[in-house]
Amino acid sequence: DIQMTQSPSTLSASVGDRITITCRVSQSVSTWLAWYQQKPGRAPQLLIFKSSTLQSGVPSRFSGSGSGTEFTLTISSLQPDDFATYYCQQYNSFSIFTFGPGTKVDVK
Amino acid sequence: QVQLQESGPGLVKPSETLSLTCTVSGASIYSYYWSWIRQSPGKGLDWIGYIYFNGSTNYNPSLKSRATISVDTSKKSFSLKLNSVTAADTAVYYCARVLITMIRGDPHPYAMDYWGQGTTVTVSS
């Protein structure tokens, strides 16, 4: 089974901060990794797919990078609307989707 | 505008079968995979499985064959059945559209771009 970890599990930050969330996968998934944002009581929203491709309509302050087993999501200047939980999700050669455990970004 | 809407009972008794349907509008059901995901209270996201228009499916092995996803192209909908439910299956259930890329002529799903609003299912007697 593919295992996924995210760090940190909680990140306290202020508006304007640059933040980075890391997602690690137990085996290589090439660049088949996506990032989602979820706010309380709402469905997740796709931010980035194929490791670094920004989904249409997502602000450019969001960026993704990485390949193989280590990936990062960066928000260049945190905005009030960005306080949420972020999940990574991989797709592997066995056609299975797996989500990471999530990183909650809250107000410092 | 792409919209997905989950429907089904909000309360299911233990050992019975959970049945949900997702109705798609604003998108062709033939061009994507379609997925179910759930989220237990206060927990993270748990992928259940997905289906292609031709009926090809894949499931989360952790569900140990309790889940069945089917598609009805005439109704532009797909459904989830989860049998032998327990309290651990209490969750918000989401349906989602899955993006695909063609690799050597085969569709490969990789991320979910449109989601339903979610429906809460409680397993309790």
Side-chain angles (χ1 to χ4, degrees):
Chain A
D1 289 3
I2 284 190
Q3 306 299 318
M4 300 183 71
T5 60
Q6 285 184 234
S7 59
S9 55
T10 304
L11 193 162
S12 297
S14 302
V15 172
D17 285 352
R18 178 184 181 90
I19 68 166
T20 297
I21 299 168
T22 299
C23 176
R24 291 185 176 88
V25 191
S26 59
Q27 58 186 264
S28 177
V29 296
S30 183
T31 56
W32 296 111
L33 189 109
W35 290 95
Y36 300 84
Q37 177 194 70
Q38 187 180 33
K39 297 177 182 177
R42 304 290 297 273
Q45 288 191 312
L46 178 65
L47 297 175
I48 287 168
F49 58 90
K50 289 185 185 177
S51 177
S52 61
T53 304
L54 206 62
Q55 171 69 347
S56 175
V58 174
S60 59
R61 62 181 180 271
F62 291 91
S63 64
S65 66
S67 66
T69 62
E70 187 161 325
F71 301 85
T72 59
L73 172 70
T74 298
I75 306 176
S76 61
S77 178
L78 196 67
Q79 298 303 300
D81 192 46
D82 301 337
F83 292 101
T85 299
Y86 294 84
Y87 295 93
C88 56
Q89 170 251 313
Q90 67 82 28
Y91 165 71
N92 70 357
S93 58
F94 299 105
S95 305
I96 300 296
F97 284 170
T98 311
F99 288 96
T103 294
K104 183 178 181 180
V105 178
D106 63 16
V107 179
K108 187 173 184 179
Chain B
Q1 182 182 359
V2 178
Q3 291 186 316
L4 291 85
Q5 180 67 57
E6 304 92 349
S7 59
L11 181 64
V12 181
K13 289 182 168 54
S15 80
E16 295 190 345
T17 297
L18 177 160
S19 295
L20 297 173
T21 295
C22 181
T23 302
V24 178
S25 59
S28 169
I29 201 157
Y30 296 99
S31 304
Y32 300 91
Y33 274 81
W34 303 92
S35 185
W36 287 97
I37 307 96
R38 68 181 182 179
Q39 187 170 34
S40 301
K43 302 296 185 183
L45 300 167
D46 187 25
W47 173 71
I48 297 171
Y50 54 62
I51 190 165
Y52 201 38
F53 75 92
N54 62 3
S56 173
T57 54
N58 216 334
Y59 298 101
N60 188 329
S62 70
L63 290 170
K64 297 181 181 177
S65 303
R66 293 195 297 126
T68 302
I69 299 174
S70 58
V71 63
D72 187 334
T73 55
S74 66
K75 294 182 179 179
K76 288 190 70 174
S77 68
F78 60 105
S79 298
L80 168 69
K81 291 189 186 300
L82 185 66
N83 59 33
S84 305
V85 297
T86 69
D89 295 308
T90 293
V92 175
Y93 285 76
Y94 297 101
C95 59
R97 187 178 83 168
V98 185
L99 295 170
I100 62 172
T101 188
M102 300 303 286
I103 299 177
R104 291 185 285 276
D106 292 327
H108 286 251
Y110 61 91
M112 292 159 279
D113 64 342
Y114 283 94
W115 296 60
Q117 64 185 20
T119 187
T120 299
V121 178
T122 301
V123 178
S124 175
S125 55

